Amino acid sequence: MNQRAALEELQRSTVQVNEKISLDDLKELKLAFESNEQIHNLFKKIDYSDQGRISWMEFSTYLLQQYKAKKEIARCSKQVAFNLPATLRDGGHGFPIVNIHSTHDGAVVTVREDGFICQWSPELKPQRTKHMFSDGPVNRRSKWVADFILMSKYNKLMIGTGDREIQFYEFSTLEPYCQISGLETIPLTLNYSYIGSDKCCFLYGDMEGCVTIILLSTAEDTLRLWSKLPKVENVPNIAIKNAVLSKNVTFVRWKVHHDWVTQVKYFHSFQAIASSSNEQSASLVVGCVLPSADSAQQLREIREVCYAGKNRKFQLSWTPQVHASEDQTTFSVYKGVKAFDLCQKHNLLVTGGMDRLIRLWNPRFSEKPTGILKGHSAPIFSLCISSEDNWIFSVSVDSTVKIWDIQDQCCLFTADPKASGIHGDVSACSYSPAMRSLYIAADCIAVLPLMLRPRPHSRITVSHDEAVMCCGYSEEFRQVVSCSEGSVVKVWDFDTGRQVFEFTATPDLTTITCMTFDIKGRRLITGGRNGCLKVWNFNSGQCLKTLKKEGKCHQVCDCSFLKVQGNFYVVAVGRDRRIDIYQDVPGDLHHVQRPQPSWKDDLKNGHTEDILCVVQCPPSLLATGSYDGEIVVWNAASGSINCRFVGPVAAKDQNTEGLDTSVPSMVFIKNLKLLQLSPTTALLTPGVRGWVNLWDVLSGHKLVSSFKVSKFQQKITKLSINDKKTLLYAADRIGYIYIYNMETFDPEQRSPRGWLPITFDFQVPAVNLLQIATSDQVVLTSSTDQTVRLWSAQGEFIGTFGQPELWSIHISSSWIHPGVPYEVLIDPLSMPHHDILKRKSHLSEAISSDVTETDRGELKVRPFMETISVEILKPAIYHPLPTHTNTEMRTPELPSSISYMGSMEDLLSAEFIPPAERVPAPWTEAGGCLLAEHEPTPRLP
């Protein structure tokens, strides 16, 4: 019994060993990869918890998640929608609109059953109207319209009437041109096509299931000849029996169906005519235009007899012909076909009818449809294929509109009557490719324009389709991860700017507001507006766990990954004004994790306003900043408050309404030279009007110094410092980034001498991420202008993630520099200013301080620049702001003046900094000047 138990235990252990693979085991798959480094990176992406081993289940899950994410992104990229509700206009007055057609310039034409024609603008504003049957005898006024079509090539409008006539009107004047009378049946549905070389074809279907085709060669001359014939009821008239005697006219009549023809179309690309009916046996027939050889020979003999002028009267026969079986393809559909469309690009035929199903067919194979689209709850009224977009538009009689994807055969969007506002039975429908809008006639005439994503300027490269909310750099994989407002997460290759992966973070598209990485940089933690945090393997798009409080949750504004006393935690702050701490247990997956109990000090003495940011100073200090400007420093090990302080406000601003005192970002700094104390821990926080406050944390709440950073008195939104704690990077609300040398900082001076800022970045609106990759000497920025950008530490523009041209971090010739982003180039703050222009206009005004209205979003403007001549700055090497050519900026000629932010007294009293004290250059001043350090740089007081 013991031996059996030992054997079973051995078998179990063997299975466990076999279920796990090591890095060495995975290297056996190296033949499928290019290098061992690629295998190593793949292993790290799967082994997100850094355990050194992965299971086959984890390996398979990684591959499956990647496939699902890529498929979902492909689906989301096809998303389309209408702008709802629809724009409605009254156009019926008790008479249904028989059809809608659009012109090449986007105008829309409708004709009512009583003969009232209206031309509309694309936005459905009436442009001209006319009642075509109002003039003439009384019996003419009793006419009714069955259908109409536009003959755009000949500037004509063709109408089929209930008096068995086909009438032609000048489209420009809507005056009668001519008509063909004496038809055997009423033309229920019309169609027209220009064949080429002044040849056209118009055809109609009738109640007897017949399709009549009239081919015109030298069509313009033929119509002109008919327009000179004697008038009947004030319209030049020719009987059909006389019209077919013309050498330019070919007349053919086919017997196709045994029920009314519901729709007929000529497809020039297929050289075929398609017609539909409600009968099941011959629901849709695609056939040739002219009869087979024997019948064609008979027609030629008849025409030759007529052309020879022989004195015998030709009797037009209305007896229809029947297609030979090899000349047509018949489709049988349950309950018949009401609407169809045919596309040569996709070799696709779509049909719809009373059974509420949309069937997809190969036009040359009628045995079985290639796909069936289900979703309508009423009979299909209209179908249209948009070959350029790979979409199918369908409209049912209950006014429900759907958009389908051809490739995936799935519904992309549905507009029901409640959402669109379209009610009543649909009588006409048309899609305008020019305006990308769908026009529907029911109780009213309505337009549903497609909701198109705004396309950026051709010279502007964006990283996301929506605003970028947050971004981060994983040094472990040398990847940049960015999150957009639509919760789309993109992974970029840091070394080239190429997109590596993409996934949608939340099914409900809850906006991601903040993000951070774990200690290793292998997992991504995101916070959202719904108050939840999620932990991701961002290389596969797999959600590992959800961190969520019980009860009502509020927006998470910031999150961070902490290590305290050997344990790892995720800390989150936000609009609930509390600090939520979740212990990180990598092996505990696939469930909702609750936070640890709140600190007592947090509950009793914590923030009273929304907490906007959180930052840690190892080993145990934690600082939080709130909307009202309060900063609280905590002992993360005990949960107690170490100190708290509020930034200073000048006496003149004490009663300023809407003054922004919030603390959106903070950084800890340790520097023995800073306060000449040992040891010292300082905290840098944004103040008001573009100032930054320096606090000595260990002394309690001592304000060491306040200094001005933003030259435009704009709120500092992001602070960051390099690993050596020597360079401070600060970004203001309007997108400027300033770099300060902390080693030369003198806390006794409010405007420190020798502390020269490098102003190099301008992104509008504000920068929401500022991160330094110290090992590569580059700066990563992101903004709500949909861009994620990379810069050198000296402010040289490397590129925008997602741009067509790839870069190499360590090869400066591959950078966009000396180019700058196009939107920076054209921004008013980048334009040179002249003193004369300043006195005569407001062109020299710029966005003023961060004093806002009650919504804290509206900015004021004020003058801020003085202009000096180039000669004054001759000691420095000057490079003007580059101009944009294609994807590159070229340096223009030197302008006659440049702009300098500061007073003339400051400039005249400038002294020169010795080379050893200079800050790395170049630095770009806001007025558009680029100064390099090849010559002594002026020191400004």
Side-chain angles (χ1 to χ4, degrees):
M1 188 67 180
N2 292 335
Q3 291 179 349
R4 180 180 297 178
L7 181 60
E8 291 176 353
E9 179 64 27
L10 179 61
Q11 290 176 344
R12 284 195 298 270
S13 63
T14 302
V15 171
Q16 291 173 357
V17 171
N18 289 337
E19 284 182 348
K20 296 282 186 178
I21 60 172
S22 65
L23 180 58
D24 294 331
D25 297 328
L26 190 61
K27 286 182 179 179
E28 296 179 3
L29 302 175
K30 67 180 180 179
L31 294 178
F33 300 91
E34 296 178 358
S35 64
N36 286 336
E37 183 181 357
Q38 202 170 13
I39 298 176
H40 188 63
N41 287 334
L42 175 63
F43 187 89
K44 289 194 298 182
K45 290 177 181 179
I46 303 173
D47 184 26
Y48 53 82
S49 57
D50 195 24
Q51 295 180 350
R53 303 176 72 87
I54 61 174
S55 66
W56 283 110
M57 178 65 72
E58 291 171 332
F59 181 77
S60 303
T61 300
Y62 173 82
L63 297 179
L64 180 61
Q65 286 290 333
Q66 276 223 331
Y67 171 77
K68 288 173 61 178
K70 291 179 179 179
K71 187 175 180 180
E72 176 65 17
I73 290 301
R75 187 192 68 82
C76 291
S77 66
K78 299 176 180 179
Q79 286 299 312
V80 63
F82 288 114
N83 282 310
L84 299 177
T87 301
L88 304 176
R89 295 290 185 271
D90 188 15
H93 295 285
F95 293 94
I97 293 175
V98 298
N99 214 334
I100 304 173
H101 290 288
S102 58
T103 61
H104 295 302
D105 60 357
V108 180
V109 182
T110 61
V111 175
R112 290 195 324 223
E113 191 178 87
D114 63 343
F116 183 81
I117 183 171
C118 183
Q119 182 175 334
W120 311 78
S121 70
E123 298 79 20
L124 289 186
K125 295 180 180 178
Q127 294 179 329
R128 56 175 178 155
T129 61
K130 184 176 181 179
H131 203 301
M132 294 180 291
F133 301 150
S134 61
D135 300 331
V138 177
N139 59 344
R140 176 172 169 80
R141 301 178 188 176
S142 63
K143 290 180 182 291
W144 57 276
V145 177
D147 196 7
F148 88 98
I149 193 77
L150 293 178
M151 302 173 66
S152 55
K153 184 68 178 179
Y154 300 102
N155 195 34
K156 299 290 187 293
L157 183 144
M158 182 170 62
I159 290 177
T161 73
D163 289 349
R164 297 181 298 168
E165 299 166 339
I166 295 178
Q167 297 184 337
F168 299 89
Y169 289 80
E170 277 286 357
F171 182 65
S172 57
T173 62
L174 299 181
E175 294 296 327
Y177 191 74
C178 63
Q179 70 178 13
I180 301 174
S181 63
L183 304 181
E184 179 70 12
T185 55
I186 297 174
L188 295 180
T189 175
L190 292 174
N191 192 245
Y192 152 85
S193 178
Y194 178 74
I195 301 175
S197 302
D198 198 21
K199 296 179 181 178
C200 71
C201 165
F202 56 88
L203 56 154
Y204 64 89
D206 57 30
M207 293 181 291
E208 297 180 0
C210 296
V211 174
T212 302
I213 304 165
I214 300 176
L215 297 171
L216 296 183
S217 57
T218 63
E220 191 167 1
D221 292 338
T222 303
L223 292 174
R224 187 183 299 111
L225 179 63
W226 291 350
S227 69
K228 299 182 183 301
L229 296 175
K231 295 182 178 181
V232 176
E233 298 179 353
N234 292 330
V235 181
N237 179 78
I238 184 172
I240 185 63
K241 63 181 180 180
N242 297 325
V244 299
L245 295 178
S246 171
K247 63 179 181 180
N248 300 324
V249 178
T250 302
F251 177 89
V252 185
R253 191 165 189 248
W254 294 108
K255 178 64 176 179
V256 185
H257 307 280
H258 298 283
D259 201 345
W260 290 14
V261 178
T262 56
Q263 188 178 356
V264 62
K265 281 187 178 182
Y266 173 76
F267 296 96
H268 184 56
S269 57
F270 286 89
Q271 294 291 309
I273 290 177
S275 61
S276 61
S277 174
N278 286 327
E279 66 168 314
Q280 182 169 333
S281 59
S283 305
L284 186 134
V285 177
V286 180
C288 60
V289 178
L290 295 175
S292 58
D294 293 341
S295 301
Q297 180 63 29
Q298 295 175 11
L299 285 176
R300 280 195 297 271
E301 292 175 356
I302 294 173
R303 284 199 297 268
E304 288 172 1
V305 170
C306 299
Y307 300 160
K310 294 185 179 180
N311 296 322
R312 73 177 182 87
K313 187 177 180 181
F314 171 64
Q315 180 68 39
L316 176 64
S317 173
W318 286 97
T319 303
Q321 302 182 58
V322 178
H323 275 119
S325 59
E326 63 272 13
D327 291 339
Q328 70 177 22
T329 304
T330 303
F331 297 82
S332 178
V333 178
Y334 177 64
K335 292 187 178 181
V337 171
K338 172 66 176 175
F340 66 88
D341 200 4
L342 187 60
C343 175
Q344 182 187 26
K345 177 182 176 180
H346 299 284
N347 194 34
L348 177 67
L349 171 69
V350 293
T351 62
M354 297 296 295
D355 64 350
R356 300 167 294 177
L357 301 179
I358 301 173
R359 291 175 172 84
L360 312 183
W361 308 81
N362 183 322
R364 297 175 176 85
F365 184 75
S366 61
E367 294 299 321
K368 185 179 180 180
T370 58
I372 297 178
L373 307 179
K374 302 178 180 179
H376 279 286
S377 56
I380 309 297
F381 178 83
S382 176
L383 291 171
C384 177
I385 299 175
S386 176
S387 58
E388 297 81 6
D389 302 306
N390 301 327
W391 296 333
I392 300 172
F393 295 92
S394 63
V395 182
S396 56
V397 295
D398 64 349
S399 304
T400 299
V401 182
K402 289 182 177 288
I403 306 177
W404 310 82
D405 180 69
I406 294 176
Q407 182 178 358
D408 295 340
Q409 296 186 8
C410 63
C411 182
L412 301 177
F413 183 77
T414 300
D416 55 35
K418 184 177 181 180
S420 66
I422 305 173
H423 299 285
D425 293 335
V426 176
S427 62
C429 183
S430 176
Y431 175 69
S432 171
M435 301 309 300
R436 297 177 68 81
S437 299
L438 187 67
Y439 296 89
I440 301 173
D443 289 348
C444 297
I445 181 171
V447 57
L448 286 169
L450 286 173
M451 186 183 297
L452 303 177
R453 291 178 178 176
R455 294 184 178 181
H457 191 279
S458 59
R459 293 178 177 178
I460 297 177
T461 298
V462 295
S463 308
H464 283 264
D465 293 330
E466 307 94 8
V468 179
M469 304 304 293
C470 49
C471 183
Y473 170 59
S474 170
E475 191 171 358
E476 177 78 358
F477 297 111
R478 293 188 67 81
Q479 291 177 339
V480 172
V481 181
S482 56
C483 305
S484 72
E485 191 174 22
S487 295
V488 174
V489 179
K490 291 188 177 183
V491 184
W492 311 88
D493 181 18
F494 176 76
D495 293 303
T496 64
R498 176 179 59 89
Q499 182 176 329
V500 177
F501 187 57
E502 178 182 348
F503 65 94
T504 303
T506 55
D508 57 354
L509 299 181
T510 299
T511 299
I512 293 176
T513 55
C514 58
M515 58 169 283
T516 188
F517 293 99
D518 65 0
I519 296 296
K520 281 287 187 178
R522 298 190 183 185
R523 289 177 295 158
L524 175 71
I525 298 97
T526 61
R529 285 183 180 167
N530 60 357
C532 296
L533 294 100
K534 291 182 180 291
V535 183
W536 304 88
N537 180 350
F538 59 89
N539 282 293
S540 67
Q542 180 186 6
C543 181
L544 305 176
K545 69 169 67 173
T546 299
L547 312 179
K548 184 180 179 182
K549 295 176 63 175
E550 293 183 356
K552 186 177 180 180
C553 297
H554 299 272
Q555 175 178 321
V556 179
C557 296
D558 196 12
C559 59
S560 183
F561 198 89
L562 311 180
K563 181 180 180 181
V564 181
Q565 296 180 343
N567 296 318
F568 298 101
Y569 302 92
V570 176
V571 58
V573 296
R575 294 191 172 179
D576 62 354
R577 307 172 185 179
R578 293 290 173 261
I579 302 174
D580 298 321
I581 299 178
Y582 304 83
Q583 187 170 7
D584 179 52
V585 184
D588 187 13
L589 306 178
H590 308 300
H591 79 292
V592 176
Q593 181 177 335
R594 304 299 181 188
Q596 293 184 344
S598 298
W599 294 334
K600 292 183 179 179
D601 251 7
D602 186 22
L603 295 175
K604 293 182 179 179
N605 306 310
H607 288 279
T608 58
E609 272 288 350
D610 300 350
I611 305 176
L612 302 183
C613 62
V614 58
V615 62
Q616 185 197 21
C617 179
S620 59
L621 286 183
L622 188 72
T624 54
S626 64
Y627 192 81
D628 58 358
E630 183 181 40
I631 299 106
V632 179
V633 180
W634 309 78
N635 185 325
S638 63
S640 59
I641 294 178
N642 190 327
C643 59
R644 67 196 312 157
F645 33 84
V646 178
V649 177
K652 64 179 181 179
D653 292 328
Q654 291 291 339
N655 299 320
T656 302
E657 184 179 356
L659 184 68
D660 190 352
T661 61
S662 63
V663 183
S665 179
M666 298 182 293
V667 291
F668 276 104
I669 182 171
K670 291 184 177 181
N671 192 332
L672 298 179
K673 299 179 182 179
L674 190 61
L675 302 178
Q676 298 172 350
L677 298 173
S678 181
T680 185
T681 299
L683 181 67
L684 288 166
T685 64
V688 298
R689 298 187 183 277
W691 287 64
V692 170
N693 302 319
L694 178 64
W695 306 87
D696 182 4
V697 174
L698 296 184
S699 66
H701 57 276
K702 179 182 178 182
L703 178 64
V704 178
S705 177
S706 293
F707 51 91
K708 182 180 178 181
V709 173
S710 174
K711 291 185 176 295
F712 305 108
Q713 300 188 27
Q714 289 296 304
K715 183 73 179 182
I716 299 300
T717 57
K718 283 293 177 182
L719 292 170
S720 187
I721 197 162
N722 64 346
D723 291 344
K724 295 181 180 180
K725 310 297 183 183
T726 57
L727 292 179
L728 172 68
Y729 292 74
D732 65 14
R733 176 176 290 162
I734 59 174
Y736 279 95
I737 294 177
Y738 306 86
I739 308 176
Y740 286 89
N741 189 345
M742 298 301 296
E743 291 183 318
T744 61
F745 172 60
D746 184 358
E748 300 299 326
Q749 295 186 7
R750 296 174 65 85
S751 298
R753 297 173 63 85
W755 200 20
L756 187 65
I758 303 172
T759 308
F760 69 87
D761 186 9
F762 187 87
Q763 298 192 63
V764 180
V767 175
N768 54 31
L769 174 102
L770 182 61
Q771 184 172 346
I772 301 100
T774 306
S775 59
D776 296 282
Q777 292 296 304
V778 295
V779 179
L780 176 68
T781 65
S782 67
S783 172
T784 51
D785 65 357
Q786 307 177 19
T787 61
V788 181
R789 289 182 173 140
L790 202 61
W791 312 77
S792 73
Q794 288 75 38
E796 297 164 324
F797 181 42
I798 297 176
T800 301
F801 286 92
Q803 68 183 29
E805 305 84 7
L806 301 182
W807 66 69
S808 176
I809 286 293
H810 304 294
I811 302 177
S812 58
S813 61
S814 67
W815 301 352
I816 298 296
H817 180 79
V820 296
Y822 178 73
E823 59 270 35
V824 175
L825 182 70
I826 65 174
D827 193 276
L829 292 180
S830 296
M831 301 300 177
H833 290 249
H834 196 280
D835 193 49
I836 295 177
L837 296 177
K838 175 186 172 184
R839 290 196 301 266
K840 290 188 177 182
S841 69
H842 297 286
L843 292 178
S844 60
E845 290 185 349
I847 302 173
S848 74
S849 69
D850 55 356
V851 179
T852 63
E853 298 300 324
T854 53
D855 62 356
R856 299 171 183 175
E858 182 180 349
L859 299 177
K860 306 295 184 182
V861 296
R862 68 173 180 86
F864 71 96
M865 287 188 183
E866 292 188 18
T867 328
I868 58 176
S869 66
V870 174
E871 285 73 19
I872 297 178
L873 290 182
K874 274 186 177 179
I877 292 181
Y878 168 80
H879 303 280
L881 190 70
T883 57
H884 192 284
T885 305
N886 295 331
T887 59
E888 198 175 63
M889 309 294 180
R890 303 296 182 187
T891 304
E893 295 182 359
L894 191 66
S896 59
S897 66
I898 60 175
S899 300
Y900 157 69
M901 272 67 63
S903 65
M904 190 63 67
E905 290 77 13
D906 287 345
L907 182 68
L908 295 177
S909 62
E911 56 183 286
F912 293 102
I913 306 172
E917 298 182 19
R918 290 186 219 141
V919 177
W923 61 280
T924 303
E925 194 54 81
C929 310
L930 188 66
L931 290 139
E933 68 150 359
H934 303 292
E935 296 292 336
T937 307
R939 170 184 286 164
L940 304 180

